[in-house]
Amino acid sequence: MTAIDPSLVSLFTVAGKTVLVTGGSRGIGFAVAKGFVRAGARVYICSRSAEACEAAAKELSQYGECHALAANLGSAEECRSLADRLAERESRLDVLVNNAGAIWAEKLEEYPESGWDKVFNLNVKGPFFLVKSLLPLLKAAASHENPARVITVGSIDGLHVPSHETYAYSSSKAAVHQLSKHLADQLAPSSITVNVIAPGMFHSKMLKGTLEERGEEAMLAPVPLKRFANDTDMAGTAIFLASPAGSYITGAVLPVDGGTATTL
């Protein structure tokens, strides 16, 4: 049997890195956090519910090191508070995964301002002010050959017009894609990369209602690979972007959607 070259294995290592995953108590955030924990990173997760956050961190701790920091990231003040609490524990942050998000579906004639504001506050304002607040920790971790990483979870709904009436959600995801490109350009001199993972359909609370209404077969009809994204797809892509293999990628929007974006 041919021996595996250790240098190739190390291309994808994130062991020893300090990682913050927002919205990490369930769904894509939980999957990504689990992947990093199992890969040997020290992971912090946050969510609005302190109880849910603690329970998720306890579950993930069976695989490695994971800590809970409850936060509602819909305001600049909460983003600063989270950054301050993390700085009390850590002197650097290697990877920030902006995953926390909200969705609001409503008929155009009835779409409320409160729903629009909730989605944009969490999906766009939150990632911006969290990056701003965490800049000192990210810069402390960054080097020319090994940048600090910001990975934001966008959506293929930010790349096309969805059939369902989620006006604020699709608009916010398009906005955060552009915001990430802007930040990538601005932060490159500080050796901080900024990239977006744009998932397709993933079994989550957000998708549950649509899946129940339309059915799995109809939902998968436009997906060339004919399946939903799974935990490995999400975690693997985030780990790749955070590893040495992804150190020269910045300003990219990477669809993880089974080929759906190719048919749009």
Side-chain angles (χ1 to χ4, degrees):
M1 180 181 293
T2 304
I4 298 174
D5 187 337
S7 66
L8 295 179
V9 176
S10 67
L11 270 177
F12 301 96
T13 185
V14 292
K17 291 197 173 193
T18 301
V19 180
L20 171 62
V21 181
T22 71
S25 66
R26 68 186 186 198
I28 290 174
F30 184 85
V32 169
K34 183 177 179 180
F36 275 108
V37 171
R38 296 185 69 179
R42 179 165 61 256
V43 177
Y44 291 83
I45 61 171
C46 77
S47 71
R48 286 171 288 180
S49 167
E51 183 178 352
C53 200
E54 291 287 351
K58 182 178 180 180
E59 181 177 347
L60 292 176
S61 292
Q62 66 182 303
Y63 305 107
E65 188 174 355
C66 186
H67 308 278
L69 291 172
N72 183 348
L73 301 176
S75 72
E77 182 180 358
E78 279 291 323
C79 291
R80 287 191 296 268
S81 174
L82 176 60
D84 289 344
R85 284 182 286 147
L86 184 62
E88 292 173 358
R89 301 184 180 208
E90 301 290 342
S91 60
R92 53 186 284 160
L93 179 63
D94 298 287
V95 183
L96 166 63
V97 181
N98 282 312
N99 168 73
I103 192 169
W104 195 290
E106 194 72 69
K107 291 182 179 179
L108 178 59
E109 294 84 356
E110 300 171 8
Y111 210 95
E113 182 180 6
S114 59
W116 183 276
D117 290 346
K118 177 181 179 180
V119 171
F120 261 78
N121 285 346
L122 190 57
N123 293 9
V124 185
K125 184 166 75 172
F128 176 78
F129 282 100
L130 191 55
V131 169
K132 177 186 174 184
S133 300
L134 288 169
L135 267 181
L137 292 183
L138 290 166
K139 288 180 177 180
S143 69
H144 187 63
E145 294 299 324
N146 186 21
R149 321 295 168 91
V150 175
I151 302 167
T152 297
V153 177
S155 173
I156 61 165
D157 280 0
L159 300 173
H160 73 128
V161 179
S163 58
H164 36 284
E165 294 188 273
T166 53
Y167 303 104
Y169 180 77
S170 58
S171 300
S172 72
K173 291 304 183 179
V176 87
H177 292 180
Q178 181 65 16
L179 172 63
S180 297
K181 294 177 184 179
H182 197 166
L183 289 171
D185 180 65
Q186 185 68 28
L187 296 178
S190 299
S191 296
I192 300 171
T193 67
V194 185
N195 293 293
V196 175
I197 298 172
M201 289 182 289
F202 179 90
H203 278 294
S204 66
K205 185 177 180 181
M206 281 189 182
L207 189 67
K208 184 179 179 181
T210 306
L211 184 59
E212 290 175 349
E213 178 184 338
R214 297 180 56 188
E216 185 168 314
E217 185 176 348
M219 293 286 285
L220 290 177
V223 182
L225 289 183
K226 300 303 177 191
R227 68 171 177 83
F228 292 92
N230 60 35
D231 290 5
T232 301
D233 300 321
M234 296 296 103
T237 306
I239 289 171
F240 161 65
L241 289 172
S243 72
S247 64
Y248 198 55
I249 299 172
T250 195
V253 178
L254 180 57
V256 183
D257 63 351
T260 306
T262 66
T263 67
L264 302 179

